[in-house]
Amino acid sequence: MLIDSHCHLDASEFDADRDQVSQRARAAGVMQLVVPAITAATFDLTLAMRERYGCAVALGLHPIYLAEHRDQHLAQLDDALSRHAPVAVGEIGLDFFVPGLDAARQVALFEAQLKLAREHDLPVIVHIRRSQDQVLKYLRKWRVRGGIAHAFNGSRQQADEFLKLGFKLGFGGAMTYSGSQRIRRLAAELPLEAIVLETDSPDIAPAWLAGPPPQRNEPAELPRIAAVLAELRGLGVDEVAAATVANTHAALPALARIDS
């Protein structure tokens, strides 16, 4: 049994066959999906994944969608965190890869959401693309209740700093490419208790879906991703599955209560 610690089941790419995607995940042994929101406008859709499929949800304002966020959305998020009991604040963070995103505004939005996470005593799911050191800076400042560093691709030193702050590190499709040597080395050498598994579906397709053209990723791919991690570490898939489920529960305590 596995947990997909990061899956956008509410994305429009799944509109045509979402029921079947959920069924395939269950049939593959993926016992739980964590679905993080990306904008205030999608909170209701994200919450619908919990109502319809039993998913765990996180609520937050994603840095890539900066143009869609308004100051009043932070008050909306605050209210939603109180009323809907998500397992985390997310997906939040910083993205210094996508061109044209205002860095100062990203930081202000990130800090505001870290403050909300502290006030609600919730972990966070952080987006850290080309921004590991900057994200770490603000996590040290606000000292939230840990969480998950999504799609981790930093250095070993950065990994260790996230671990010191109580975070687990998300590994998924990028780890399945033979050319992703740094990510694969980290997956092999980090303490097993540091790692959680994710698909980020419909994005970050694993190597076997790379195409061309690239195919849509989905949660049912997680067992093959787990098998890659097991091979890299020289472990059995069952051991990897049990450890990563326990790690996800440790990172998101409310999820452990849901799954118990």
Side-chain angles (χ1 to χ4, degrees), residues 43-252:
F43 286 175
D44 286 347
L45 183 57
T46 303
L47 290 163
M49 298 302 100
R50 181 169 68 184
E51 297 305 312
R52 183 158 187 169
Y53 304 109
C55 301
V57 300
L59 298 175
L61 306 174
H62 193 300
I64 285 181
Y65 301 94
L66 200 62
E68 299 182 36
H69 304 324
R70 301 291 180 267
D71 289 345
Q72 62 265 31
H73 292 164
L74 289 167
Q76 188 175 339
L77 174 59
D78 189 11
D79 178 66
L81 295 174
S82 295
R83 291 194 295 118
H84 296 299
V87 299
V89 178
E91 180 176 353
I92 68 174
L94 301 172
D95 191 301
F96 297 150
F97 173 76
V98 175
L101 296 176
D102 184 289
R105 188 157 174 259
Q106 282 195 67
V107 167
L109 182 68
F110 184 39
E111 288 200 86
Q113 292 183 92
L114 291 175
K115 289 170 67 176
L116 288 176
R118 277 182 57 129
E119 291 167 10
H120 291 271
D121 194 26
L122 285 169
V124 296
I125 297 173
V126 288
H127 178 98
I128 54 172
R129 191 156 56 164
R130 298 277 177 90
S131 61
Q132 288 91 352
D133 287 338
Q134 296 91 337
V135 167
L136 283 165
K137 172 183 174 180
Y138 295 106
L139 291 176
R140 293 187 191 103
K141 179 177 178 179
W142 292 105
R143 296 286 175 169
V144 297
R145 189 181 178 176
I148 296 173
H150 159 55
F152 186 80
N153 63 354
S155 67
R156 177 59 191 263
Q157 181 180 7
Q158 289 166 331
D160 289 340
E161 292 303 310
F162 276 104
L163 298 180
K164 289 175 186 176
L165 292 170
F167 279 74
K168 307 298 184 184
L169 310 178
F171 286 82
M175 176 184 63
T176 67
Y177 291 85
S178 60
S180 299
Q181 294 183 16
R182 182 171 68 176
I183 293 174
R184 288 165 71 90
R185 184 165 58 250
L186 284 168
E189 296 177 357
L190 283 167
L192 184 55
E193 60 267 24
I195 295 173
V196 300
L197 290 172
E198 59 177 45
T199 62
D200 196 29
S201 50
D203 300 319
I204 312 186
W208 50 89
L209 298 181
Q215 300 174 55
R216 183 189 68 180
N217 194 14
E218 63 177 74
E221 301 299 333
L222 197 66
R224 288 186 70 180
I225 292 172
V228 171
L229 178 61
E231 182 179 1
L232 289 171
R233 299 187 69 92
L235 299 173
V237 174
D238 288 348
E239 184 176 354
V240 163
T244 56
V245 166
N247 297 344
T248 310
H249 285 161
L252 307 175

